[in-house]
Each structure stands twice: as C-alpha cells, then as structure tokens.
Amino acid sequence: MSLVNVHPVRPVELLSVASEMFPFVKTGGLGDIVGTLPRALLAHGIRTRTLLPGYPALQAARNEGRCVARFSDLLGHEAAIWENRLHGNDIFILDVPALYDRAGDPYVGPDGNDWPDNDIRFAVLARAAAHIAHGAIEGYCPDLVQAHDWQAGLTAAYLHYDQRPAPPVVQTIHNLSFQGCFPASSLPRLGLPAHALCMEGVEYYGQVGFLKAGLYFAAWITTVSPTYAREIQTPEGGMGLDGLLRARARMLTGILNGIDVDIWNPEHDPDVHFPYRLRDIAGRAANKRALQAEFGLPQDPDAFLLGIVSRLTMQKGIDLLPDVAADLFGDNIQLVVVGSGSLSIQRELSILQRRFPRRFACHIGYSEALGHRMPASVDALLMPSRFEPCGLTQMSACHYGGVPIAARVGGLADTIVDANAAAMAGNSATGFLFSPVDATTLLAAIRRAHTTFRDRQAWAILQRNAVAYDVSWSGKAAQYADLFRMVVARARSREDAGGNVVSLHRADRTAATAARRRIARQPRLRTSRPRPGYQG
Ligand code: ADP
Ligand code: GLC
C-alpha cells in the first residue's frame, strides 16, 4: 500500500528517539511502544525513523546498512550513525562502542547498579538526535522529534541552547518515576552551557534533570493515558515534577497506548500452545491446562487461575501478595507470577512457592514466550499497581480473553470497565477495578472476581466484552497523528511570525518559574532505577 493511497498529503517525517525498541531491546512497555507505534502511524501519514543506541543486540540484528553521519567529537566520543531497515522499521543506529557495546541490561551493569556513565551515554543519544534534527543526515529533515522518557530528555534542551531554527520536540512520558537526575558537576561534559544550570533550564533540585529538561523545553508533552496525565499534575502523582507539569498543562496530552494486534493474535501466536480464534475462546481451556502443567499446579478446570506478568517493583504492588496469600489460597485459587526485578520481592515469592506449592508458582526472569502464553491461559490477570501510566498486560489479557483485576489508577482506570451491576447489565464490563491499593481491597476484588467466575454465564459475558474491547493502535495512532500535525503547524506559524526557539518558551518559562516557587521541595528520586529483565 503506497503512502499516497493511505494519506493524501505529504507524510510528516518523525524522528523518534528512544533507548529501547521491541524486538531488539526491551525491558518493559517502552520498548513495545517504540517498536509498534511507527507502523500504526504510517497509516495516518506519519513516517517514523527511530534513533537508538547501538547496543550489541542491535549491532547483531543490523544488516550492512549505510553510514549516514560521522562525528569525530560527539561529547568527546567518535560516533557514526548507520541507517538500517529492520523488521519493517527505519532505524538509525548510533554507533559509539565505548558507550553502548556492553552486554546485559541497557541501564544497569553486572553489579546491579546504574552504569556510572549513564549521563553521558544518554546525553550522547540526545546530542545526536539534535544534530539530526538540524540536518546532519543529508537528505533527511524531520518535521518533528518525539523524545521518549528521560533517556531522550536532553534533545529539546540541546535544540534550545543551539539557538538555531529546529523542528519542535514532543516529550513523551512513559513513566515519571524514572527521571534521569545527575550531579550538577556533570554539566560541562554534557556539552551544555553553564547558564543552563538554572530553574529555567536543565537544573532540577540542584542536579541536572534530563526528564525535567525535556518537559521544560519541549513544544508539547504527551503521556500514555488521560488519567495519568491528570495524576502527574498532583503532588501525589507528580513525583516532584507536578508544578512544572501544571504550568505546562495546556501543552500536555494523554493518549492511550495500543498493542499490535497482528503480533497479539492467539490464532497465530507461536507461543500459544493451543491456538484459538477470538470469536471462539473455548480453546483457552486447553491452554489453561497446559499452563497449570507447565507450572506444576493441579490441572483443575474449576480452580480460578490468576496470573501476573510484570517487572517486580514497588510500582506494580506485587509486594502485597504475601499479605493476601493465606486468605486467597484457602479458596480454590491458583496464582502464577512471571516477573523479574527486586531481589526482596523475588525472595517473598520463593517463600510463597514453598508455603503453597499446589496453589502458587513463579518464573523469575524475563520470558517473552510466557508473556504471550499467560494471557491465553489464565482466567484473570492481576495488576495491583500503585501507579500505572498506561499498562499493556491488561490489554493483551483482555484481547486474549483473560479478565483483568486491577488497581483503579492511570491507564488501568482508562482501559478497564469495572464489572459493577450496571456495567454487567449493559454488557460493557471488562474486568475488576479496586482502590485504594492495599491488601484488603486487592483481596476483596479477587473475591468479587472469583464469585463471578463461578457463575459461568456471567464470566463468559465478561470475557466476550473484554475480547471486544479495542486494544489496537488504530484510534490512538490517529490521535498522535493529529497532535503531531498540530504541533508542526504551530511551530511553523511561530516561525513565520518571526518567533524562534527562545520566544516559543517565554510564556511557559514564566509560568513554570511561578509554579516552581510554589511547590515544596520534595525528596529526590534515584537517578535511573533499573528496568530489570533485559532481553537483548
Ligand atoms: P512496564 O512498562 O511498566 O513494565 P507495561 O504493562 O506497559 O509495564 O509493559 C510491560 C511489558 O513487558 C509487557 O509487554 C509485558 O508482557 C512485558 N513483561 C514484563 N515483565 C515480563 C517478564 N518477566 N517476562 C515477559 N514479559 C514481561
Ligand atoms: C511505562 C509504564 C507503563 C506503560 C509503558 C509504555 O513503563 O510503567 O504503564 O504502559 O511505560 O508506555
């Protein structure tokens, strides 16, 4: 299908800048989104090229490619950019072996700590993005840049301090708890001017804040659900950045994530042992039996089989399980956890496995195959997240006929319709929501779901509604496309009116200064908490 047929006007050229991309490098949902959004956007006239660090997994995947730019001194490093078309995506691989040619997790070294040079590693990524935005690649001139999370956060700052006409930047927040904060002393090696270390610049509570810089200088900000867009403007959800986000509220939009329903199709999913059609999900019963066997649990069709696929962090609320286990497993309920992350949560899970061998099982580690098998097999998927910007596993669960039981936060609140009496009667219920997030409400939600599960007819209706819920990219990609066009048009009209990068930000700067004065100083977050479970 040619672009011309798909969209009548010239495609918008989008440079997407990110630190991970499925299927090459993924530690969580960020990789999924960066990997699947480009194809969805293409149908709406947005052509994406993605700039990624040259990790070993990408170097291994790349073909010959074409060297499209070389730098003798990119913040002190020799660098090259290779253009490649991989898995249908146009990718710029930023080749700086000294920074990216490291085995293992993209953010964390073998000792479990952040790589000590993460500041320079991701500053170089952003610096390269800014050069590309300025036209460093012959014949390529992006209309706008999408910077994902803190790792790409300095892109907008470099473009600002370069003081040259540049395309607008949309800063996308996938998770505000990862902010990329580094000591102020790192400023000179980041190639930023000394005067950038101020409130109207990259300074954040005395440090250099990569995400703060992106949020401050971007022409627009997006995040991954409307509810999260509201939550992050509150002191409870803003993690220190709520003042700035409130000041920029007019330029903050929440757009839900989608999943690629060509990849997530139980009829053709190679990881699903017993393929089934979405129109006839009775085939799930065989997958349930197989999963019970795989995890050494009794193959009981009447047991209410719950599953979790998750990073094991405080965000995800998995640490609540030990508090509910005894009550839960008193009933005919089984639980399988697939996850990696915090050692203390892993220890708690091992204890549960020893205590309840016929009820509880876990796989510690990252397994893409289990990530697909679980939603095709479990009756319900648990997500007791304390906060959840969007969440993807509830969407794959719904799509595969697994019913989500989730905290009423962020994107979970936006993508799940609670099975209350009215929603059940109206055939719109898709799952179970609970709040506030604690052991008591979690247990009550599971019990509520278990009661519905025992009513086979009601459960079948719930499953049918869940499968029918649209988790695809189509509508969401259209929203991104509209927003991107608006941001480009807005930037161009300012250019035409003689505006420049500095004047573009003056109004925001005043508002942010006022907001910043108002907010109380809050404890700082860690630099960049590891995203465990790297699949390279
Ligand atoms: P987050 O990005 O906060 O980790 P999301 O729900 O947005 O949460 O996305 C998580 C993604 O990572 C999903 O695709 C999920 O299936 C996958 N995932 C998380 N942990 C694992 C694991 N241990 N094994 C396989 N897949 C996992
Ligand atoms: C983050 C969030 C998750 C979201 C994902 C992709 O890691 O924790 O909720 O779905 O990014 O946007």
Side-chain angles (χ1 to χ4, degrees):
M1 199 164 32
S2 85
L3 261 180
V4 180
N5 289 338
V6 173
H7 210 273
V9 293
R10 182 182 84 81
V12 172
E13 291 287 346
L14 171 70
L15 174 66
S16 168
V17 188
S19 59
E20 42 186 282
M21 181 181 200
F22 177 83
F24 313 107
V25 183
K26 166 180 158 182
T27 68
L30 168 66
D32 289 314
I33 302 313
V34 174
T36 57
L37 182 56
R39 197 159 77 92
L41 284 175
L42 190 58
H44 297 277
I46 309 285
R47 191 158 62 196
T48 310
R49 287 166 208 236
T50 307
L51 175 69
L52 295 164
Y55 305 120
L58 266 160
Q59 299 289 13
R62 91 174 159 95
N63 43 40
E64 277 285 287
R66 192 167 67 96
C67 183
V68 289
R70 281 192 187 280
F71 304 91
S72 57
D73 182 5
L74 194 62
L75 304 182
H77 292 271
E78 269 187 43
I81 296 175
W82 292 83
E83 186 181 45
N84 264 260
R85 191 159 171 83
L86 301 174
H87 288 268
N89 285 301
D90 290 312
I91 298 179
F92 292 133
I93 300 174
L94 178 59
D95 189 14
V96 190
L99 299 180
Y100 307 130
D101 186 12
R102 299 176 192 178
D105 188 283
Y107 314 116
V108 177
D111 59 359
N113 292 318
D114 288 354
W115 291 111
D117 55 352
N118 270 351
D119 55 349
I120 199 74
R121 293 175 76 228
F122 294 106
V124 163
L125 176 70
R127 185 60 269 183
H131 281 311
I132 297 173
H134 281 317
I137 297 178
E138 207 187 319
Y140 179 59
C141 179
D143 296 304
L144 87 159
V145 180
Q146 183 177 20
H148 294 272
D149 270 350
W150 74 265
Q151 295 89 346
L154 284 189
T155 309
Y158 286 125
L159 290 175
H160 171 80
Y161 291 109
D162 285 348
Q163 294 282 309
R164 290 163 53 191
V169 176
V170 172
Q171 176 70 48
T172 297
I173 304 168
H174 293 268
N175 193 330
L176 203 62
S177 71
F178 302 103
Q179 300 191 349
C181 295
F182 300 94
S185 56
S186 66
L187 193 77
R189 67 193 200 121
L190 302 181
L192 288 162
H195 67 263
L197 197 68
C198 66
M199 207 160 66
E200 297 83 8
V202 303
E203 185 267 345
Y204 183 55
Y205 296 125
Q207 296 192 298
V208 177
F210 280 33
L211 183 60
K212 184 263 171 157
L215 299 179
Y216 189 81
F217 287 116
W220 208 270
I221 300 167
T222 65
T223 188
V224 289
S225 69
T227 295
Y228 194 58
R230 285 191 296 278
E231 288 170 351
I232 57 180
Q233 294 178 53
T234 66
E236 300 75 37
M239 303 194 170
L241 284 164
D242 48 301
L244 176 56
L245 289 164
R246 279 197 301 279
R248 301 220 58 199
R250 279 186 311 117
M251 284 126 197
L252 168 60
T253 308
I255 301 178
L256 279 174
N257 288 332
I259 62 173
D260 186 329
V261 289
D262 287 339
I263 297 174
W264 290 95
N265 178 345
E267 202 178 344
H268 304 295
D269 189 329
D271 297 314
V272 172
H273 288 319
F274 298 93
Y276 58 93
R277 294 219 176 102
L278 289 175
R279 259 177 290 133
D280 174 17
I281 60 172
R284 299 180 88 258
N287 286 301
K288 175 173 173 177
R289 253 196 325 277
L291 192 86
Q292 286 169 322
E294 186 172 353
F295 279 89
L297 296 171
Q299 290 176 271
D300 175 1
D302 293 328
F304 186 34
L305 178 61
L306 307 177
I308 290 179
V309 181
S310 182
R311 291 184 290 118
L312 303 177
T313 66
M314 284 301 281
Q315 171 189 346
K316 303 293 182 178
I318 317 285
D319 53 293
L320 295 174
L321 292 179
D323 295 338
V324 298
D327 286 318
L328 206 63
F329 298 138
D331 289 335
N332 190 10
I333 292 179
Q334 301 174 341
L335 172 60
V336 172
V337 176
V338 175
S340 60
S342 149
L343 288 180
S344 66
I345 300 178
Q346 287 183 29
R347 263 195 303 274
E348 297 277 8
L349 296 181
S350 314
I351 294 171
L352 284 185
Q353 198 158 11
R354 281 198 299 276
R355 273 180 70 200
F356 304 99
R358 293 179 62 76
R359 292 271 188 244
F360 180 80
C362 62
H363 169 94
I364 299 298
Y366 190 95
S367 160
E368 192 67 25
L370 280 170
H372 279 245
R373 248 195 316 283
M374 291 278 282
S377 314
V378 298
D379 296 307
L381 191 103
L382 264 191
M383 290 184 80
S385 307
R386 293 193 168 83
F387 66 93
E388 194 62 72
C390 180
L392 297 176
T393 40
Q394 83 279 13
M395 296 202 216
S396 46
C398 280
H399 194 56
Y400 275 23
V403 172
I405 303 173
R408 193 190 296 276
V409 294
L412 300 175
D414 292 341
T415 56
I416 297 168
V417 180
D418 180 65
N420 55 44
M424 285 302 278
N427 266 348
S428 57
T430 59
F432 297 86
L433 290 170
F434 62 94
S435 66
V437 184
D438 59 40
T440 313
T441 53
L442 169 61
L443 187 62
I446 297 173
R447 289 221 159 113
R448 199 154 61 91
H450 193 194
T451 305
T452 312
F453 174 74
R454 283 182 290 217
D455 176 345
R456 292 296 146 131
Q457 208 182 342
W459 192 257
I461 291 171
L462 204 50
Q463 283 183 302
R464 216 176 39 226
N465 296 344
V467 172
Y469 177 72
D470 182 10
V471 292
S472 77
W473 268 118
S474 59
K476 298 126 182 188
Q479 286 179 46
Y480 267 116
D482 287 346
L483 179 94
F484 288 160
R485 283 209 175 76
M486 181 273 290
V487 172
V488 171
R490 190 170 161 271
R492 289 204 178 130
S493 72
R494 281 171 189 243
E495 264 167 37
D496 291 346
N500 58 32
V501 182
V502 178
S503 65
L504 191 70
H505 295 291
R506 193 167 295 139
D508 302 337
R509 203 159 55 208
T510 314
T513 305
R516 180 67 188 271
R517 289 203 177 108
R518 282 197 303 273
I519 58 171
R521 297 209 156 220
Q522 296 183 11
R524 243 174 279 124
L525 289 154
R526 272 195 61 187
T527 301
S528 55
R529 281 190 289 138
R531 287 170 170 276
Y534 163 69
Q535 175 219 341

